[in-house]
Amino acid sequence: MQRLNLYRNELTTLPEWIGRLTQLQSLELGTNQLTALPDWLCQLSKLRTLSIPANQLATLPNCLGQLTGLQELNLYGNPLAALPDWLHSDQWRGLQLGGLGLTEFPELLRGSRNLNWIRIHNNHLSKLPEWLSELGTLESLDVAGNQLSELPDSLGDLSELTDLDLGSLAGNPLRELPTCIRRLRQLTSLRACYCELQSLPEWIGELKHLKHLRLTDNRLTDLPPSLVQLEHLETLGLEDNPLNPELAMAYKEGLDAVKRYLRAKAESQVVLNEAKLILIGEGEVGKSCLLGALRGDEFIDGRPTTHGIEIKPVNVTDPDTGTEITLNGWDFGGQRVYRPTHQLFFSAPAVYLVVWKPREGPQQGFVKEWIRLVKHREPDAKILVVATHGGPGQRQPDVDRQEIWDLFGRDTVLDFFHVDSKPDEKTGERGGIAELKDAIARVAASLPEMGRTVPARWQYAREALKQKAVAYLPLEQVLDVCRELKMEDDEARDFVRISHRLGHLIHYEHDPVLQDIVVLKPDWLTTAVSFVLDDKQTRETHGLVSFDRLSQLWNDPAREEEFRYPPDLHPVFLRLMERFDLSYRVAGSRDEGQQESTSLVAQLVPDVRPDPVPDWVAKAAEGDEQQVQICQIVETRNGQSATAEGLFYQLIVRLHKYSMGRVNHAESVHWQRGLVVDDDSNGRALLEHVGNDVRITVRAAYPEGFLSVLTHEVKWLVESFWAGLRCDVMVRAVYRAVR
């Protein structure tokens, strides 16, 4: 026997028969309870590798120094009082000295002439010695998880070093990559995670052999253009960095997209001082009038309510720096039925205004509910609370500021304002608007994405598309705009995909109905959806609507021309609604000939739970069992129970393949806070809102499988859509025979 692995065997002593394995070359004794090693271990003269991590060894027998054939030794995580003198030897090829509580790099390794690798991570090193360069054969060095704020210049003399780990699961407070690394021209792998890096140096592109670069959890917002010179780079890790939006989206597309982005930026770049200004609140609290006042528009008395979303630009100037900032003002309709749709467009960088009307009071204005709605979707959102309709004779704002600050924190709700959007008849001034604009400008200027640089031709493409002043374009025309700006097709498609991810436009490249059209105005879609949500006939049928009825709503002759849409766009609208989990085509709808299809708009299903729930209380099959699981929805930051607004609407759409009515829609069972689904022999399930949580009950011969599928769907949907929420799965051992 040449190899013996006794890893994790709860050994307190070593069996003596091991000493008779004279041909043994590798011995693995990790994660046991050994407090000492026997002297007879030194009889294993052919031993090349000894691994004894995570035991309770305070000392090592001196006779181990007689094993001159020993080349690799792993001592990780033992409470050694001191390292043995016999470690000073040229025999070592590799040493694992991690987790030993070392405060200094072992002097006894100085001059080692054959050491290929050393791992000394998770200790308490605050510096490395200059003599480290004497380890001229070193190929791999792991010093992650220490307290290193700098590296010795001599480290750059390790000409054979190919692997350097400054941070894997734990890092070092370096703040910048030491310049000595610049001379390590043979490096193929560099890990510097959790190292508080603010930026990467331009010289990173000189490490021509680099294949793997891991930079997780630093403070990087951008990358140097020289990164594209790393022709052999295979993996790039940038998770948990505050990357600028364009780079973050390029990173999600992959390494090639990152390189194309950096290459375009290196040719020419522009500075962007722009963000979203999002106005939310209940209906008829004055959001549209407030947006008009911020823009300096003429006041319109009796302004009609907003359908869906209206987008208009607002220009502000940071009073502290004089920087001019362009804000895209998004005015969201306040009707409750719009909320699930509106959440799709909550994003950073943005300044949020929660608007309420003092004469109705903060409770009627649902101030806290709107703040929660934003926080659950965008945990880092910056919010100003604005009371409207002020002025002489009007009720003064009465809102418990301290309570709101206690609930959400002053880093979220930054301030409170009271304004009058209507000009004073004598002075023409709008009370509080100037102060609010200054506050908005200051918040916008503080957003981390403000002042970012982007490839110039990307910005020029965005501006060119905006100047088209149309709601949509064929994809090929969008690509032509990009080609005119010298983009290759791969880069042009990156631009479209990244713009889609950032919410600048809508394009689904893999959808056969949508892949040839690019929606340039997202509010165009939400307005079309609002006509469906507001339709009395569709409400009376609890969300069931024929394609013919949708066409009437989208091309209603009674509406102004700008709110009428030609018939060739109606299939596009329908498909977009399906992609946003707003509707699905019910059983009996034909894939072809959409004029005969019928859809269910999930937000309009009945609000009352059937009593009893059909096809649930019926007698189950003999031997069936029932299992209940609770999905607790909580806020990530504090673990408190939270509402995922619109969750069940999305579940109704996403789970419709399991619907009771997948053959005959009349047999469907769903309401605004619950639904029944069925997977044939795999079981039948009832999903219900219980408070803020989701209770899933499955009946089947073997309920675990279907329960797992449904639980995964709920958990994935909550945690992927609401960044500020998490779903904790609580298994209740409720197994019982159903007879």
Side-chain angles (χ1 to χ4, degrees), residues 299-355:
F299 182 80
I300 301 175
D301 212 351
R303 183 189 295 265
T305 59
T306 301
H307 282 280
I309 302 171
E310 291 183 359
I311 303 177
K312 296 178 180 178
V314 178
N315 297 316
V316 297
T317 301
D318 180 6
D320 300 325
T321 65
T323 302
E324 295 183 356
I325 299 172
T326 300
L327 299 170
N328 292 313
W330 291 55
D331 173 15
F332 285 75
Q335 293 89 324
R336 191 172 194 87
V337 73
Y338 294 162
R339 289 187 187 181
T341 311
H342 289 350
Q343 290 177 97
L344 296 166
F345 301 98
F346 290 175
S347 63
V351 183
Y352 291 82
L353 304 185
V354 173
V355 185

Side-chain angles (χ1 to χ4, degrees), residues 128-130 132-134 141 151-161 164 178-187 207:
L128 299 180
E130 287 287 344
L132 197 65
S133 59
E134 297 176 17
L141 175 63
L151 299 180
D153 185 68
S154 62
L155 187 140
D157 297 330
L158 293 173
S159 58
E160 300 298 317
L161 200 67
L164 177 60
T179 55
C180 61
I181 297 175
R182 185 176 188 174
R183 307 201 308 275
L184 299 175
R185 298 302 176 88
Q186 300 304 313
L187 270 188
L207 304 179

Side-chain angles (χ1 to χ4, degrees), residues 18 24 38 184 283 353 374 393 461 509 629 647 717:
I18 295 177
L24 200 62
L184 299 175
L353 304 185
V374 173
E509 61 179 324
Q629 196 150 273
L647 171 61
L717 184 55

Side-chain angles (χ1 to χ4, degrees), residues 616-670:
W616 180 250
V617 296
K619 183 177 180 181
E622 184 72 23
D624 272 5
E625 292 184 346
Q626 177 171 296
Q627 184 172 348
V628 178
Q629 196 150 273
I630 304 296
C631 296
Q632 290 188 331
I633 301 171
V634 298
E635 293 186 2
T636 304
R637 64 185 179 92
N638 57 23
Q640 293 182 357
S641 179
T643 300
E645 181 79 33
L647 171 61
F648 262 79
Y649 304 142
Q650 294 190 52
L651 284 174
I652 288 170
V653 175
R654 296 183 67 87
L655 297 176
H656 77 269
K657 65 180 178 180
Y658 300 120
S659 169
M660 296 289 294
R662 59 185 180 274
V663 176
N664 177 8
H665 181 73
E667 298 176 0
S668 299
V669 181
H670 47 230

Side-chain angles (χ1 to χ4, degrees), residues 416-430:
F416 298 81
F417 292 86
H418 186 207
V419 302
D420 191 350
S421 302
K422 185 177 182 179
D424 183 87
E425 293 181 0
K426 294 181 180 179
T427 65
E429 294 182 358
R430 308 183 197 230

Side-chain angles (χ1 to χ4, degrees), residues 225 285 548 707 729:
V285 295
D548 189 53
L707 186 65
V729 178

